[in-house]
C-alpha cells in the first residue's frame, strides 16, 4: 500500500502527463495492478483464506494480476518512454492505445474470472464435493480466462509491431555509381 501510495501521490497534479505521454498510462496501471495484487496477497496470507485459495485457480489469477499486470505494464511503459528518445521514431498513437486497452482489459478479465472462479472452486472443495464437480464449475471461468488470455496475447503482437516501428531506421548502403566516360 505504501509503495503504491508513494507513486500515486508523486503523480498528484500531473494529470496532463496522462494525456501527453504514451508511457505514463502504462506505469499508472502497473502501479494499480501492483496495489491490487498486494492486497490479494495480503488476504491470501491469512490462514483461513489460504486454506480456501492455496491450490485452486485463485492463485493463478492473483499471479497474473501481480506479475503480468504489474511487471509487464512497467516494462511497456519504460519501452514507450525510452525507445522514442533513443531512436527518434515513435509508434502510431492509435496502435499504442489499442495495445494498452487490449492488455488492460485482458489481464482484468483473466484475473477477475480466475479470482471469482477459484474462490468458488475452493468453497466446493471445502464442502467435500467431488473434484469433477469443481472442474464443471470452473468451465465458464476458464472460458473468460481464455478470452482474457487471447486479448493479452494480441496485445503482445501489437507491442512487437510498435517496437518494430520505434526501431532506428536502417541506412541502406549506397549503390556504387557507374562513371560515364566519354571517349
Amino acid at each position: 500500500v505504501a509503495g503504491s501510495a508513494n507513486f500515486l501521490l508523486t503523480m498528484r497534479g500531473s494529470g496532463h502527463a496522462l494525456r501527453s505521454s504514451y508511457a505514463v498510462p502504462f506505469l499508472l496501471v502497473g502501479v494499480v495492478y501492483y496495489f491490487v495484487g498486494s492486497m490479494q496477497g495480503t488476504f491470501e496470507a491469512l490462514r483461513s483464506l489460504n486454506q480456501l485459495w492455496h491450490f485452486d485457480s485463485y492463485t493463478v489469477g492473483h499471479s497474473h494480476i501481480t506479475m503480468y499486470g504489474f511487471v509487464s505494464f512497467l516494462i511497456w511503459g519504460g519501452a514507450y518512454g525510452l525507445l522514442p528518445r533513443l531512436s527518434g521514431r515513435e509508434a502510431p498513437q492509435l496502435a499504442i492505445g489499442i495495445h494498452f486497452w487490449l492488455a488492460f482489459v485482458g489481464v482484468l478479465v483473466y484475473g477477475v474470472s480466475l479470482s471469482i472462479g477459484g474462490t468458488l472452486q475452493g468453497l466446493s472443495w471445502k464442502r467435500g464435493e467431488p473434484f469433477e464437480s469443481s472442474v464443471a464449475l470452473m468451465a465458464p471461468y476458464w472460458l473468460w480466462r481464455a478470452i482474457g488470455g487471447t486479448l493479452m496475447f494480441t496485445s503482445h503482437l501489437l507491442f512487437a509491431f510498435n517496437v518494430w516501428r520505434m526501431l532506428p531506421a536502417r541506412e541502406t548502403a549506397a549503390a556504387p555509381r557507374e562513371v560515364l566516360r566519354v571517349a
Side-chain angles (χ1 to χ4, degrees):
V1 172
S4 301
N6 184 30
F7 181 83
L8 296 174
L9 291 172
T10 301
M11 288 191 62
R12 187 175 44 192
S14 302
H16 65 281
L18 282 170
R19 291 183 295 277
S20 62
S21 170
Y22 299 128
V24 173
F26 283 92
L27 299 175
L28 178 63
V29 166
V31 170
V32 169
Y33 275 128
Y34 174 75
F35 173 76
V36 170
S38 296
M39 295 307 296
Q40 279 184 308
T42 301
F43 289 122
E44 196 171 3
L46 299 172
R47 184 181 191 95
S48 60
L49 293 175
N50 187 282
Q51 290 173 343
L52 175 66
W53 288 329
H54 188 66
F55 291 111
D56 58 35
S57 294
Y58 180 92
T59 305
V60 178
H62 164 72
S63 336
H64 279 76
I65 286 174
T66 304
M67 297 308 294
Y68 185 95
F70 169 55
V71 175
S72 295
F73 273 83
L74 291 185
I75 290 170
W76 292 328
Y80 286 131
L82 294 174
L83 281 176
R85 288 178 172 83
L86 294 172
S87 68
R89 299 181 69 201
E90 292 188 16
Q93 185 175 2
L94 178 63
I96 294 173
I98 293 171
H99 169 223
F100 174 85
W101 286 108
L102 285 173
F104 175 72
V105 171
V107 74
L108 187 67
V109 166
Y110 192 103
V112 168
S113 66
L114 288 183
S115 295
I116 293 169
T119 301
L120 297 174
Q121 186 179 38
L123 289 170
S124 77
W125 293 345
K126 283 183 112 8
R127 287 190 299 264
E129 295 175 8
F131 179 77
E132 293 82 11
S133 67
S134 73
V135 172
L137 171 85
M138 284 300 297
Y141 299 100
W142 286 332
L143 173 65
W144 283 106
R145 172 189 181 178
I147 291 168
T150 301
L151 294 173
M152 292 159 50
F153 176 72
T154 305
S155 79
H156 288 232
L157 298 176
L158 200 49
F159 177 66
F161 169 76
N162 290 339
V163 168
W164 176 74
R165 290 291 304 264
M166 291 185 288
L167 292 176
R170 295 182 184 218
E171 295 181 22
T172 57
R177 295 183 186 177
E178 281 188 42
V179 178
L180 293 176
R181 295 185 185 199
V182 179

